[in-house]
Amino acid sequence: MKHLDLILAEKLLKISAIKLQPDNPFTWASGWNSPIYTDNRKTLSYQDVRSFIKVELSRIILENFPESDAVAGVATGAIAQGALVSDTLGLPYVYVRSTPKDHGLENLIEGDLRPGSKVVVIEDLVSTGGSSLKAVEAIRNAGCEVVGMVAIFSYEFPVATKAFKDAGVKLITLSNYSALITAALETGFIRDTDVETLKEWRKDPSIWSPKEITD
């Protein structure tokens, strides 16, 4: 039986929530060259994938963070899935903006989050971990405890692993970059010759260039 990470990786590839282009890299907003582009918002348009993710996120929370008494989604990618999960678990829900609203009450956290709450955070994608951990900081600053974070997908960057460890946040993901490469190869989304390129990119994406990879 296939593991969850492989099953979800296949689903994300099939609906193009994740695209792999080793020969024609994308350019991220950061300026990095990348053979992969992820947009997990696409999962919301596919009822079977949307429900699959909702159920698995909820299951992981029940198994690993049963003490949670509130759910927080990270804007903007995890707002919808966070709401679905909180509804499934019957828990209060808030979401955390990347920056405070520039008018009105200037909220950073939208919704009613009671001080002292034990919060599990929902994220759609973990790359370097910077934006995810900013949300954690905001929740902690609101007088709450972050019991952990559950994400749909992670690039498994070493810098993110270190950042979560330093912040004292347990991170569990439904799928990850290693599983994605395996699933993409098994289902014909990439060739055997693409594997080394994809592995090299993950080691240090900030300086990676496809020209540096030789057959």
Side-chain angles (χ1 to χ4, degrees):
M1 179 179 290
K2 287 186 178 180
H3 288 175
L4 169 62
D5 55 0
L6 290 173
I7 294 172
L8 181 56
E10 287 185 15
K11 291 179 181 292
L12 296 176
L13 285 165
K14 287 178 181 178
I15 65 171
S16 295
I18 294 181
K19 293 183 178 181
L20 293 170
Q21 294 182 186
D23 297 329
N24 183 27
F26 302 94
T27 301
W28 285 3
S30 61
W32 291 1
N33 293 311
S34 172
I36 181 173
Y37 187 79
T38 304
D39 181 7
N40 285 326
R41 294 174 183 83
K42 276 199 168 187
T43 62
L44 299 171
S45 298
Y46 298 84
Q47 190 275 333
D48 58 331
V49 181
R50 183 180 70 231
S51 293
F52 181 86
I53 290 172
K54 175 191 70 175
V55 168
E56 292 302 325
L57 289 173
S58 300
R59 177 184 62 79
I60 286 176
I61 291 170
L62 289 173
E63 291 178 356
N64 294 274
F65 309 113
E67 70 274 32
S68 303
D69 53 27
V71 176
V74 180
T76 59
I79 291 178
Q81 268 297 349
L84 291 170
V85 169
S86 66
D87 190 57
T88 300
L89 298 177
L91 294 175
Y93 177 65
V94 300
Y95 71 85
V96 186
R97 292 175 172 272
S98 56
T99 57
K101 190 162 58 176
D102 60 5
H103 61 279
L105 298 178
E106 300 181 350
N107 292 334
L108 181 57
I109 299 175
E110 297 289 2
D112 290 327
L113 185 59
R114 293 175 300 174
S117 295
K118 295 182 177 181
V119 184
V120 62
V121 182
I122 305 292
E123 180 64 287
D124 71 318
L125 172 67
V126 175
S127 54
T128 63
S131 59
S132 304
L133 291 173
K134 278 181 64 178
V136 169
E137 182 181 12
I139 293 168
R140 287 173 171 171
N141 288 342
C144 298
E145 177 186 352
V146 174
V147 297
M149 181 179 295
V150 184
I152 297 173
F153 188 82
S154 169
Y155 289 129
E156 298 181 297
F157 292 150
V159 65
T161 301
K162 183 178 185 303
F164 275 87
K165 182 179 179 181
D166 291 347
V169 178
K170 182 176 181 180
L171 171 67
I172 301 176
T173 65
L174 300 188
S175 191
N176 55 66
Y177 191 70
S178 299
L180 177 74
I181 293 176
T182 300
L185 189 59
E186 289 179 351
T187 53
F189 280 89
I190 58 172
R191 305 158 298 186
D192 289 340
T193 53
D194 295 324
V195 173
E196 188 59 31
T197 299
L198 292 167
K199 288 183 176 179
E200 284 295 323
W201 171 78
R202 193 190 66 82
K203 291 178 182 177
D204 195 344
S206 65
I207 62 172
W208 179 83
S209 169
K211 295 179 182 179
E212 296 174 359
I213 306 301
T214 56
D215 293 334

